[in-house]
Amino acid sequence: MSSLLLLFACNYNNNKSAEQTDNHAPRLTKVNQTANNNGQREARRNSQQVSRHLVGIATGIPGVEDATAVALGRYAVVGIDVDSKLDASRTGTIKYSVAEALKKDPYGANALVTADPDTVQRLRGMASEIRRGHPIGGILNELAAIVGRLMPQVPNRTNSVKPAPTETNNSQISDQENKRLNNQQQKQAKTTKNQQQ
């Protein structure tokens, strides 16, 4: 029995000394990544503060019964509740008033405003998910889908040369007619120039 204890004790000491002398052996170290979590928490907290700020501005406009906002980065979508009995033109006027008020605020300068009840409900759900700590990536995709429906399709601005006002309708006439008109203009210009001399 004592020889077994002696054998185990020697074996334990050999393993322990081997661990101490092998400095080049890889060791497992557990690392907690707090920077990413802290960054997400900070972004979430900032977006919630901006959202509350934008809701405060929107609810201060006459005709807005309630509002919700989702702000991520420099952009935000603000949903407003108005009286369901209002006609479309009055609702549009209220939306415009909210948009103008937000445009004057640095946090609301890039905000979109909607009064569509379904979209407002979706925004409320998204704001709730952000408050509960859900990943922002999925929420961002849903927000992008909403923005895609709210934003009008605007053609890209190009640096194309605009025709002179006198040439804007040239594409509507045939080449032969265009040549005839150009000749006539040149003759008139010569006649006017000769009369002035």
Side-chain angles (χ1 to χ4, degrees), residues 33-49 130 133-134 136:
Q33 293 189 3
T34 57
N36 193 17
N37 291 340
N38 287 341
Q40 284 184 352
R41 277 190 217 115
E42 184 68 25
R44 188 173 287 118
R45 185 173 56 229
N46 287 343
S47 72
Q48 289 174 357
Q49 289 172 347
I130 290 172
H134 284 262
I136 293 178

Side-chain angles (χ1 to χ4, degrees), residues 16 24-25 67 91 119 148 156 167 181 189 191:
K16 191 173 183 181
H24 299 292
T91 301
T119 305
N156 289 339
E167 298 173 357
L181 289 174
T191 306

Side-chain angles (χ1 to χ4, degrees), residues 172-187:
Q172 297 177 5
I173 58 175
S174 69
D175 287 340
Q176 185 178 12
E177 184 68 18
N178 193 18
K179 286 180 184 178
R180 187 185 69 76
L181 289 174
N182 281 337
N183 288 338
Q184 187 176 1
Q185 285 177 344
Q186 288 175 357
K187 286 179 186 176

